[in-house]
Amino acid sequence: MKKVDLWLIVPAAGIGQRMKAECPKQYLKINNRFILDITLSRLLDSAPFKGCMVPLNAQDHWWPDSESARDARVQTCTGGSERADSVLSALVALEGLATEDDWVLVHDAARPCVHREDLARLISMLSEHPVGGLLAAPVADTLKLVEAGPLPVVSETVDRSQLWRALTPQMFRFGALKKALSDCLEKAQTVTDESSAMEFSGNMPVLVEGRPDNLKITVPSDLALAEFILSRQ
Ligand SMILES: Nc1ccn([C@@H]2O[C@H](COP(=O)(O)OP(=O)(O)OP(=O)(O)O)[C@@H](O)[C@H]2O)c(=O)n1
Ligand SMILES: C[C@](O)(CO)[C@H](O)COP(=O)(O)O
């Protein structure tokens, strides 16, 4: 297989407000390991990345106690106020190291259940693609459009036949992704993932079907679910 030049960015500068925990959720523990360490080790042990950049919150004082702080493959930078700002900070930190055409995989620190087979499929399916893409899963629930009010009510049921949930990693070329994110942030265009920045730049990223158990730990009940998923892998 042709050699693929890959970099990894794992945004870990969030504060986990929805988790309502005593620390940012990436520093909660499963089997006595930081979630961030589980995520980083699963990715770094699954593919030959040229390097890994982890944007951290400027107030982060947990990092020095992580396993990853002692991993020579991992560098850190300071993240920003939104996820997109953190990812852009990491891209800027990789300037001079990554070439314009190198691939960058961006994966949420809060998704420790990512499966090595999904990662391998994403890389093999996209490594020759002109744009790149992302892991995603078809929506399995009936979706309702809400009308806000004292009690949220259904305004309509949405056709889900062409709706997928975006997961991570998301995989794009270094130069194209840095420009797309910079352009969006300059235009104050809200983007919640790398794909939407690439879409605003006129691209159509590829959707690579991934396991639906690639859970993003977001609310308190997700922690036990993630622990169960990891125990089964
Ligand atoms: N300014 C930010 C916000 C989020 N993230 C990271 O992006 C990932 C997905 O974001 P999310 O699940 O929203 O995490 P939080 O922003 O921490 O959660 P919340 O919205 O509940 O505060 C997480 O790994 C988080 O650490 C980041 O690097 N920089
Ligand atoms: C990137 C992402 O995980 C794809 O679904 C999602 O957009 C992150 O959103 P969040 O609000 O930052 O958790």
Side-chain angles (χ1 to χ4, degrees), residues 18 83 108 111 166-168 170 192-193 216:
R18 290 168 286 181
R83 183 182 178 283
D108 297 326
R111 289 184 189 269
L167 306 172
T168 67
Q170 304 198 6
T192 56
D193 70 346
K216 181 164 67 73

Side-chain angles (χ1 to χ4, degrees), residues 172-226:
F172 298 104
R173 301 263 187 198
F174 175 79
L177 179 58
K178 186 156 75 67
K179 182 172 188 326
L181 273 174
S182 302
D183 291 351
C184 282
L185 294 174
E186 270 168 36
K187 295 169 188 161
Q189 176 65 51
T190 303
V191 284
T192 56
D193 70 346
E194 289 65 57
S195 178
S196 42
M198 295 298 288
E199 293 154 41
F200 282 120
S201 300
N203 299 290
M204 295 178 76
V206 175
L207 292 167
V208 176
E209 187 165 354
R211 295 169 58 114
D213 64 2
N214 179 5
L215 169 77
K216 181 164 67 73
I217 297 174
T218 305
V219 294
S221 59
D222 291 330
L223 191 60
L225 188 52

Side-chain angles (χ1 to χ4, degrees), residues 13-15 57 78-86 89 185:
I15 59 174
N57 193 294
T78 301
S81 56
E82 300 298 329
R83 183 182 178 283
D85 300 296
S86 298
S89 298
L185 294 174

